[in-house]
Amino acid sequence: MKNFSRANTGIDLNLIPVFIEVVRCGSMAKASVRLDMSRPAVSLALKRFNQLFNEPLFFRKGLYLEPTEKALALTSSLEILMGDIHDNIAEMNSSNKTLAQNAPGRDIIMQQAESSV
């Protein structure tokens, strides 16, 4: 299984919803209200997210931020992925099994525990 930790990849996945919301709203101020975050926190998160790319994702137009074509394409992909994540979590929670019972590799761990007893 791959290690997708921030320490390993350099990518903080918590920045994705901030980026998506800024694209949707067109401004950090509006996004901060919708995300229930301070404006400086949104600004910092967006700055950190932008650092992952070799080109800017927004152009400033007065008080608003206009996403580039690359930002719009990225947003579309990320919205699908985030939707899939939410759908999978909801599906897991709606079944009778707990998340631990559905964890990858659980059967192997349980077999090892049983054989060591």
Side-chain angles (χ1 to χ4, degrees):
M1 183 184 316
K2 284 187 173 182
N3 181 354
F4 292 110
S5 72
R6 179 174 48 178
N8 212 31
T9 64
I11 300 170
D12 183 351
L13 299 178
N14 293 311
L15 304 175
I16 294 172
V18 176
F19 167 73
I20 291 171
E21 203 59 42
V22 171
V23 170
R24 286 179 181 165
C25 295
S27 87
M28 286 188 272
K30 289 179 183 177
S32 70
V33 171
R34 290 183 60 157
L35 293 165
D36 195 26
M37 294 173 64
S38 69
R39 288 171 71 178
V42 170
S43 177
L44 180 62
L46 192 60
K47 180 180 178 182
R48 289 179 53 215
F49 190 77
N50 268 311
Q51 290 173 343
L52 299 172
F53 301 93
N54 295 330
E55 60 189 81
L57 296 173
F58 296 93
F59 295 111
R60 174 133 333 252
K61 277 200 163 181
L63 297 175
Y64 297 97
L65 294 173
E66 185 173 321
T68 63
E69 289 298 319
K70 184 175 185 172
L72 292 173
L74 182 61
T75 301
S76 178
S77 297
L78 291 174
E79 284 177 325
I80 291 167
L81 293 170
M82 294 297 284
D84 288 346
I85 291 168
H86 286 277
D87 291 346
N88 282 311
I89 291 171
E91 183 180 320
M92 296 289 279
N93 286 333
S94 68
S95 71
N96 292 333
K97 294 182 178 181
T98 65
L99 291 175
Q101 289 172 319
N102 288 316
R106 177 188 176 273
D107 294 334
I108 295 168
I109 294 169
M110 295 303 289
Q111 289 171 357
Q112 292 172 346
E114 289 171 0
S115 65
S116 67
V117 174

